[in-house]
């Protein structure tokens, strides 16, 4: 069963923001976690980056958003990069609610961060060290905190931040909601959860990243009329063992395959009109490396069982992000790395 965003009953302002971002359905961790967090329960999420975990905690947090004087949510992250990334996502998701988000991290002057805090901030995202400094300077008020999120808790432990994390948690109101995310659950993190969380519910999401890490993704901006030349050029410089090129229509696959053959690249089109025999013949030649390039439509590529594609090309971008992910997932399989190139 797939959950739809509409069944989560999120506020209109949130729905508008995620629709504008092009999200159509919740990822597994979002489907599992959002309903739990909406009940106000504490949660432990075991999931990696790339699974959509930021929205999984950000959306329920925003659902409860009500303007108040002090910050109402605190998110702890191990690095400046993650803090910035989470803060950016949070302000995107919360833009129609006019949520004020601030990222704080070390290596930055205190002045602007303190200035922002004085003017008023709703969500603070920060690294434990800097948050602690701001608390010691008494410029960060945690008395209004309703939700605390610990993102990549195991990384905060590895980086020696765990005592800062505990100290900060101890300064937030006891009735807060706490969400903890960690890829692994070392004993020290378990102990922290036992001490600071109330009957946490666990959600474990296996590696179902939206986009696989083994795939290098690139794009080139080229004019429509220059695409075939660009493709030819890429074939000269890329170490291509076998490639699958996605085109929009049956006619386009045929034209493109011909153009490539003319340029000395062994290519064939595969589309819905080929009969089973012709299709098998083409695939057989591709599998045995006699044929280096297949040009296909999405429909024709369905059910193509080939594991060893070094490059996927999007001759055009698909309209749907899921189609894109499905397409590029044809490379980087079976422990190999792959390259996905969009023109
Ligand atoms: P994260 O794991 O939170 O770093 O998210 C990974 C990427 O997935 C980000 O670029 C998000 O914008 C994107 N994303 C998160 N949720 C969804 C969704 N439901 N549909 C499509 N993309 C999503």
């Amino acid at each position: 069963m797939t959950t739809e965003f509409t069944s989560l009953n999120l506020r209109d302002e949130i729905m508008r923001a995620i629709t504008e971002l092009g999200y159509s359905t919740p990822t597994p961790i979002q489907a599992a976690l959002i309903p739990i967090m909406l009940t106000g329960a504490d949660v432990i999420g075991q999931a990696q980056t790339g699974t959509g975990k930021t929205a999984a905690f950000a959306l329920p947090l925003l659902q409860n958003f009500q303007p108040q004087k002090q910050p109402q949510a605190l998110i702890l992250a191990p690095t400046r990069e993650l803090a910035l990334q989470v803060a950016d996502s949070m302000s995107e998701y919360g833009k129609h609610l006019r949520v004020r988000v601030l990222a704080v991290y070390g290596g930055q002057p205190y002045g602007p961060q303190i200035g922002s805090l004085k003017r008023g901030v709703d969500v603070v995202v920060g690294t434990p060290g800097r948050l602690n400094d701001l608390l010691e300077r008494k410029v960060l008020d945690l008395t209004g905190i309703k939700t605390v999120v610990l993102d990549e808790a195991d990384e905060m432990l590895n980086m020696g931040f765990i005592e800062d994390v505990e100290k900060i948690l101890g300064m937030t109101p006891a009735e807060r909601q706490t969400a903890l995310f960690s890829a692994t659950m070392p004993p020290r993190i378990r102990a922290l959860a036992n001490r600071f969380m109330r009957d946490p519910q666990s959600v474990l999401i296996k590696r179902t990243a939206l986009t696989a890490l083994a795939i290098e993704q690139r794009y080139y901006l080229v004019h429509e009329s220059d695409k075939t030349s660009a493709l030819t050029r890429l074939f000269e410089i890329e170490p291509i063992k076998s490639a699958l090129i996605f085109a929009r229509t049956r006619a386009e696959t045929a034209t493109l395959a011909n153009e490539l053959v003319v340029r000395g690249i062994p290519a064939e089109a595969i589309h819905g009109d080929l009969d089973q025999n012709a299709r098998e013949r083409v695939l057989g030649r591709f599998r045995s490396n006699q044929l280096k390039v297949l040009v296909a439509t999405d429909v024709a590529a369905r059910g193509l069982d080939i594991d060893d594609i070094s490059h996927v090309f999007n001759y055009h971008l698909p309209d749907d992000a899921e189609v894109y992910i499905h397409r590029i997932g044809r490379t980087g399989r079976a422990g190999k790395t792959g390259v996905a190139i969009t023109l």
Side-chain angles (χ1 to χ4, degrees):
M1 195 190 84
T2 57
T3 311
E4 294 301 323
F5 274 118
T6 44
S7 69
L8 296 171
N9 294 319
L10 296 168
R11 294 159 80 154
D12 285 347
E13 294 94 335
I14 301 177
M15 284 306 292
R16 247 199 295 151
I18 59 180
T19 308
E20 282 163 15
L21 286 167
Y23 298 3
S24 51
T25 43
T27 65
I29 188 152
Q30 291 162 4
L33 212 117
I34 292 173
I36 301 177
M37 276 194 78
L38 287 176
T39 68
D42 285 359
V43 280
I44 296 179
Q46 262 186 277
Q48 262 108 349
T49 295
T51 52
K53 73 177 155 72
T54 314
F57 65 74
L59 304 186
L61 196 155
L62 292 169
Q63 181 78 4
N64 295 328
F65 173 72
Q66 273 163 8
Q68 65 175 36
K69 234 172 108 232
Q70 317 95 326
Q72 54 192 281
L74 179 66
I75 300 160
L76 279 69
T79 60
R80 168 182 182 271
E81 288 70 33
L82 186 63
L84 279 171
Q85 207 179 304
V86 169
D88 281 346
S89 304
M90 191 62 87
S91 33
E92 274 291 324
Y93 302 143
K95 71 174 172 200
H96 297 305
L97 290 165
R98 304 188 182 283
V99 171
R100 295 164 303 173
V101 182
L102 176 68
V104 297
Y105 41 83
Q108 285 276 99
Y110 284 89
Q113 297 181 354
I114 294 175
S116 297
L117 288 169
K118 287 209 170 120
R119 280 192 298 278
V121 168
D122 303 306
V123 179
V124 179
V125 189
T127 51
R130 177 55 63 109
L131 286 169
N132 228 340
D133 290 347
L134 292 168
L135 285 166
E136 275 167 14
R137 290 171 183 237
K138 307 219 182 305
V139 287
L140 176 58
D141 179 356
L142 297 183
T143 56
I145 295 293
K146 296 188 279 193
T147 312
V148 175
V149 179
L150 307 178
D151 202 359
E152 301 196 353
D154 49 354
E155 278 305 310
M156 293 200 275
L157 173 67
N158 292 341
M159 294 174 71
F161 281 142
I162 201 76
E163 270 138 32
D164 282 337
V165 173
E166 290 173 342
K167 207 164 134 198
I168 296 165
L169 274 170
M171 294 176 77
T172 58
E175 63 280 8
R176 65 167 193 272
Q177 179 179 34
T178 311
L180 182 152
F181 293 84
S182 204
T184 59
M185 274 299 194
R188 192 75 167 78
I189 298 293
R190 289 233 173 265
L192 180 138
N194 289 341
R195 185 167 151 211
F196 289 98
M197 299 175 82
R198 270 168 312 188
D199 303 325
Q201 301 200 32
S202 289
V203 174
L204 172 67
I205 300 291
K206 299 213 190 68
R207 266 221 87 79
T208 45
L210 288 172
T211 52
L213 293 174
I215 306 171
E216 182 197 329
Q217 299 174 58
R218 272 189 261 145
Y219 71 91
Y220 295 95
L221 287 173
V222 281
H223 280 292
E224 189 64 34
S225 54
D226 294 329
K227 280 190 173 173
T228 309
S229 324
L231 202 53
T232 315
R233 183 84 188 89
L234 284 166
F235 270 88
E236 287 162 2
I237 57 179
E238 286 284 323
I240 296 175
K241 287 211 282 301
S242 55
L244 182 57
I245 305 176
F246 284 97
R248 269 188 305 226
T249 60
R250 194 196 77 84
E252 207 172 77
T253 59
T255 313
L256 184 55
N258 281 333
E259 285 172 345
L260 291 173
V261 171
V262 170
R263 287 166 176 75
I265 301 163
E268 277 213 50
I270 185 154
H271 49 72
D273 290 356
L274 288 185
D275 65 35
Q276 192 59 26
N277 280 341
R279 189 179 153 98
E280 276 310 316
R281 233 180 4 255
V282 175
L283 285 180
R285 300 211 302 128
F286 188 70
R287 284 203 190 90
S288 63
N289 282 323
Q290 289 168 279
L291 183 67
K292 205 160 136 179
V293 183
L294 281 183
V295 189
T297 56
D298 289 301
V299 176
R302 226 174 267 162
L304 276 192
D305 184 25
I306 350 175
D307 255 344
D308 209 357
I309 294 170
S310 69
H311 287 67
V312 168
F313 289 89
N314 292 301
Y315 198 67
H316 292 110
L317 262 182
D319 294 322
D320 186 335
E322 272 178 43
V323 174
Y324 173 83
I325 287 160
H326 197 237
R327 283 184 181 183
I328 71 164
R330 301 236 163 228
T331 185
R333 286 197 182 178
K336 297 199 174 79
T337 54
V339 180
I341 297 177
T342 299
L343 298 178

